[in-house]
Amino acid sequence: MSLNIGDRITLTIHDIAFGGEGVGRLEQMVVFVPFVITGETVEAEITEVKKNFARAKLVRVVTASAEHRVQPACRYFGACGGCQYQHMDYAQQLRVKHKQISDLFERVGRISPDRVLPVLPCPEPYGYRNRIMIRSQWNGPAKKLEIGFIRTDNKFVEDIDECKIAEPALNEQIKEVRANPPPKGGIKVVLRVQPDNWEVPRDSFFQNNFFLLPKLVGTVRDFLQAGGARHLIDLYCGVGFFGIETADLVTSFVGVEYDQLAIAAARKNLEDRQISNGEFLAAKVEDVLPDLLQKFSAANTAVILDPPRKGCWPATLELLRATRPAQVIYVSCHPATMARDLNILCADGVFDLAQVQPLDMFPQTQHVECVADLRCKA
Ligand SMILES: C[S@@+](CC[C@H](N)C(=O)[O-])C[C@H]1O[C@@H](n2cnc3c(N)ncnc32)[C@H](O)[C@@H]1O
């Protein structure tokens, strides 16, 4: 069957892929449609045709999911590119994310789905984000400055007055940005709510959901405690979050981060808490890890990896495979690169994946955080 852009089709959705698009089939062709739910029959219009798959925009839900379809809270949902799941009840979002992670880890990492624990929910499925990026773009035809988020089309800015997933304080800041608009075009403004009791420089990383932070810390602490290591190497440590939150569980720890201002803040965070068994290094992980791994006995060492979305350098993973610390705790907001890296660490049985705990740090969106507990096989 040949499909063309603009064709109207009717199809049934049998899965939700990473990224949030529903997956349907038309004879041999896989068709991706956003804003749908598994089991629904929908009418869609083809927008892109490739050799083995096509993309379509949702025109109409023919048979809606009686169980899981809900009214989106946000009036920009569907146009704004920020959220993918507001049309789905929250319990179903968690099930969808769990299946996506289990399927991905099985396919890419050959990890048994029974290692993936149920997704921990966020106590606040709306109003949770503590950091957002607002953009401005001059709309020539409308002679208007659009201030808001990138649209689903990835090209234009959707003008917004408020964001339902952002903390209320950020919605107040959006009003200020709109009252004093940035110059025409291409400007990005980061709005954030500072965490209590943490020094965080304006442009440094901090976890963007305060409501689920206790569970994130609890998961890392439980894994570390179960592993029983005495020394901790906290890689990609930002302002020292995990090292500081787990300092009481180890004899000594060292955090590594290349953002110099974040490391200055990490040292301050340490001092403020009068913690004396840890230190922070301003360096690239790949430059200092060989020496750090020499410093402590592998059998007593745990390594936390919390890399940026692109994951770890291959050389870093190879070094961990060669030096064999007793435990690696891998924290990630990007399950695809995480699965790739876990596959490398576990190849030839060097590490064994004990379990993966997903946490819904990003309700209503396609994103999910995962913490994996890897043990070195003797
Ligand atoms: C996902 S954040 C994690 C921060 C921290 N673990 C936390 O929970 O707040 C990743 C951090 O890695 C840092 N980073 C990225 N590449 C790095 C590298 N090659 N060496 C050291 N730090 C790096 C970034 O600056 C960022 O602070």
Side-chain angles (χ1 to χ4, degrees), residues 39-224:
E40 287 186 333
T41 299
V42 300
E43 190 182 335
E45 183 180 310
I46 300 293
T47 53
E48 186 183 343
V49 182
K50 298 278 187 211
K51 193 159 169 262
N52 297 320
F53 71 90
R55 288 211 148 77
K57 68 176 182 208
L58 179 64
V59 175
R60 180 172 72 96
V61 179
V62 179
T63 317
S65 167
E67 263 179 296
H68 303 305
R69 187 163 276 275
V70 293
Q71 188 61 33
C74 174
R75 63 183 183 276
Y76 309 109
F77 180 66
C80 169
C83 291
Q84 291 73 37
Y85 293 145
Q86 287 193 23
H87 62 291
M88 205 184 276
D89 72 66
Y90 190 47
Q92 182 65 3
Q93 292 183 29
L94 300 175
R95 283 190 283 270
V96 163
K97 290 183 182 185
H98 183 264
K99 182 172 186 301
Q100 289 170 343
I101 296 163
S102 306
D103 288 355
L104 176 80
F105 282 14
E106 191 171 27
R107 200 175 66 244
V108 180
R110 281 166 284 152
I111 291 159
S112 166
D114 63 12
R115 303 286 163 101
V116 182
L117 298 168
V119 182
L120 289 174
C122 179
E124 298 287 338
Y126 282 97
Y128 65 85
R129 263 197 89 102
N130 61 40
R131 182 182 187 278
I132 56 175
M133 187 186 283
I134 298 286
R135 293 165 195 265
S136 69
Q137 187 182 49
W138 181 248
N139 181 339
K143 295 195 173 45
K144 177 174 179 280
L145 186 66
E146 312 284 9
I147 299 174
F149 298 123
I150 294 281
R151 275 195 206 161
T152 44
D153 64 14
N154 245 330
K155 289 187 206 141
F156 297 109
V157 168
E158 177 71 15
D159 196 64
I160 59 134
D161 285 321
E162 60 162 358
C163 171
K164 292 282 186 193
I165 63 169
E167 285 211 28
L170 292 185
N171 280 309
E172 291 305 311
Q173 292 185 33
I174 291 175
K175 284 185 196 154
E176 284 166 34
V177 173
R178 297 192 69 91
N180 305 287
K184 288 179 188 177
I187 305 294
K188 298 175 193 168
V189 187
V190 174
L191 307 179
R192 72 193 297 181
V193 181
Q194 285 290 331
D196 289 341
N197 305 322
W198 286 93
E199 177 85 11
V200 183
R202 209 193 57 185
D203 296 325
S204 296
F205 179 90
F206 198 81
Q207 303 290 343
N208 74 11
N209 176 339
F210 298 145
F211 297 95
L212 208 50
L213 268 196
K215 286 271 176 4
L216 180 63
V217 170
T219 302
V220 172
R221 283 181 65 87
D222 288 350
F223 287 176
L224 187 61

Side-chain angles (χ1 to χ4, degrees), residues 240-290:
F241 184 65
F242 289 120
I244 287 174
E245 289 284 356
T246 58
D248 60 314
L249 300 179
V250 291
T251 313
S252 69
F253 73 93
V254 52
V256 181
E257 161 67 51
Y258 70 9
D259 172 353
Q260 308 246 1
L261 293 178
I263 284 295
R267 289 179 183 139
K268 169 125 193 345
N269 288 322
L270 199 63
E271 204 181 293
D272 287 350
R273 291 162 177 77
Q274 298 179 331
I275 294 173
S276 56
N277 62 333
E279 58 174 323
F280 290 106
L281 300 179
K284 283 190 178 162
V285 164
E286 44 283 17
D287 291 345
V288 294
L289 190 58

